[in-house]
Amino acid sequence: MNVRKQALLEFLEIPDTQLVIPVYQRVYSWTARQCEVLWGDVARAGEEQREHFAGVVLCAQEAESWGCCGRLRIIDGQQRCTTVTLLLIAIRNALASGALAVDGLCASDLDRRYLRAGSGDDAPCKLVLSHLDRCTLATLVDGGAMPDEHSARLVENLRFFEEKLAQPGLDAGALWRGLQRLTAATALLDGAEDPQAIFESLNSRGLPLTAADLVRNALLFGEGEGERRVLYERCWRPLEEGLAGVPGATMDGLVRAWLAARFRDERVRSDADVYGVLREYLRVSGCGVGELLDELARFGSRYAGDEEWRAQADRSAREWLEDKPRATVGEFKLFGD
């Protein structure tokens, strides 16, 4: 296996090569929420002029070719590659119409480098999806009339990026710089390796991160080593120890209940969404990590000590995570004051 770190655009730019999604993979499934996260990551990378790691792309060389093009099979990384391609289509369209301007960049550059496997308007689509997605993406790249039977998700997400690009005050240059700073670990398998076995190792081995794991990492990761240790010993560890002897109480349950109370107006559907909400709040609010941990500690004190209150808080958190924001813990006193 040949593993390297490279810009995601550099991977998409491999000349005279199609990137093919195997038919056994699921269809494109990212929603506007994941597109929003990607947009934020790109915008921050451009504003702060730093790299942003976008994940792993696992691929294998295909023996067959298509015309003059070689083919790489993308075994893992379809969702990221497809969504970045949609953003590139939106930028290309805006450049072509004159709605967007970026120094040194034109619509034909994007078409030739990232959207087509070869030069010329008749060059095949660079990214070849599976099932119904294939024809839809090719139509979006070509700019033709969309067939009646198409992938609504691809069309909706392209429209999402087009609306983002049309926002007043957009710094298109910073956005393009951010897109160039998306990096990935690309892993190219050789013929002796089993792609499916490696895919399963990446995606289904071990325990998934819990809500508590995600929140602990979000709150503590950005701090220096000394401050991280102080915050952990002062705030996080006492919470874990305080819940250890309480029947039915877990750190994961506490974190979900606290987040449901604090962010009850945000719509979420999974622990991954919860993490995104917290990360974005930390970015824009200016709230200190120590302040949030102290708040969580106060919440945790009542969560551990009041069984009836804890049951109501857990019920509210379940409803929040199921996107059923009825009565939430935020509607009654949080800290017993």
Side-chain angles (χ1 to χ4, degrees):
M1 183 190 303
N2 179 18
V3 182
R4 59 180 296 212
K5 174 188 173 184
Q6 65 180 146
L8 191 54
L9 288 187
E10 182 185 350
F11 173 74
L12 294 175
E13 194 180 2
I14 299 173
D16 300 320
T17 301
Q18 285 187 303
L19 307 173
V20 182
I21 306 302
V23 294
Y24 56 77
Q25 285 204 22
R26 64 176 176 169
V27 298
Y28 178 65
S29 58
W30 272 20
T31 67
R33 179 174 289 277
Q34 285 80 43
C35 291
E36 184 75 61
V37 172
L38 176 68
W39 177 271
D41 290 339
V42 171
R44 282 191 295 278
E47 291 167 2
E48 300 171 9
Q49 300 190 42
R50 61 171 177 80
E51 290 183 353
H52 177 80
F53 181 65
V56 175
V57 177
L58 181 67
C59 53
Q61 193 80 43
E62 283 201 348
E64 64 181 38
S65 62
W66 184 266
C68 62
C69 292
R71 302 186 112 191
L72 279 180
R73 194 166 9 121
I74 296 182
I75 299 158
D76 196 23
Q78 173 198 180
Q79 306 295 322
R80 291 182 295 277
C81 290
T82 304
T83 307
V84 169
T85 295
L86 291 174
L87 177 52
L88 288 167
I89 294 171
I91 294 173
R92 181 204 62 183
N93 293 347
L95 289 170
S97 69
L100 199 69
V102 178
D103 288 343
L105 189 66
C106 65
S108 60
D109 288 337
L110 295 187
D111 224 36
R112 175 180 51 82
R113 294 166 64 185
Y114 308 115
L115 302 179
R116 298 186 185 276
S119 58
D121 294 340
D122 59 346
C125 195
K126 165 72 74 171
L127 183 61
V128 181
L129 302 184
S130 61
H131 309 291
L132 189 62
D133 293 341
R134 177 177 301 191
C135 179
T136 304
L137 183 64
T139 302
L140 293 175
V141 169
D142 292 339
M146 188 62 61
D148 292 337
E149 189 177 2
H150 63 270
S151 169
R153 184 61 51 77
L154 287 165
V155 175
E156 290 166 1
N157 288 353
L158 175 61
R159 187 178 304 118
F160 169 89
F161 287 128
E162 289 174 339
E163 291 172 354
K164 285 289 190 181
L165 291 172
Q167 290 178 335
L170 173 74
D171 187 340
L175 181 73
W176 178 243
R177 290 193 298 272
L179 197 51
Q180 292 175 301
R181 285 176 168 82
L182 286 186
T183 62
T186 58
L188 178 62
L189 306 184
D190 61 37
E193 294 168 306
D194 182 352
Q196 185 62 23
I198 294 173
F199 175 82
E200 290 173 356
S201 295
L202 285 172
N203 290 278
S204 61
R205 304 290 171 84
L207 293 173
L209 293 175
T210 66
D213 293 330
L214 291 168
V215 169
R216 182 188 63 243
N217 293 348
L219 291 176
L220 299 181
F221 184 78
E223 304 301 310
E225 180 60 34
E227 180 65 13
R228 186 159 53 231
R229 188 179 298 110
V230 168
L231 289 171
Y232 176 80
E233 293 293 337
R234 177 171 66 85
C235 300
W236 195 270
R237 184 176 176 181
L239 279 170
E240 293 178 323
E241 293 175 346
L243 293 176
V246 181
T250 66
M251 195 66 186
D252 205 38
L254 164 62
V255 165
R256 284 195 180 99
W258 172 64
L259 290 168
R262 189 172 228 294
F263 300 109
R264 58 187 177 272
D265 293 331
E266 296 285 345
R267 298 189 64 185
V268 300
R269 295 175 179 84
S270 68
D271 286 345
D273 284 351
V274 168
Y275 174 70
V277 166
L278 179 61
R279 190 179 67 165
E280 183 66 10
Y281 176 79
L282 287 170
R283 185 182 78 85
V284 303
S285 70
C287 183
V289 170
E291 181 182 342
L292 277 177
L293 283 170
D294 286 339
E295 179 186 309
L296 177 58
R298 293 193 299 272
F299 189 98
S301 178
R302 183 164 188 187
Y303 186 86
D306 188 331
E307 183 177 357
E308 182 178 351
W309 190 86
R310 181 172 65 251
Q312 187 174 354
D314 286 340
R315 184 168 56 253
S316 296
R318 285 194 300 272
E319 292 172 353
W320 184 59
L321 282 167
E322 293 169 359
D323 197 25
K324 299 174 182 176
R326 296 189 289 271
T328 69
V329 70
E331 293 169 2
F332 54 93
K333 292 185 178 179
L334 296 182
F335 311 123
D337 49 5

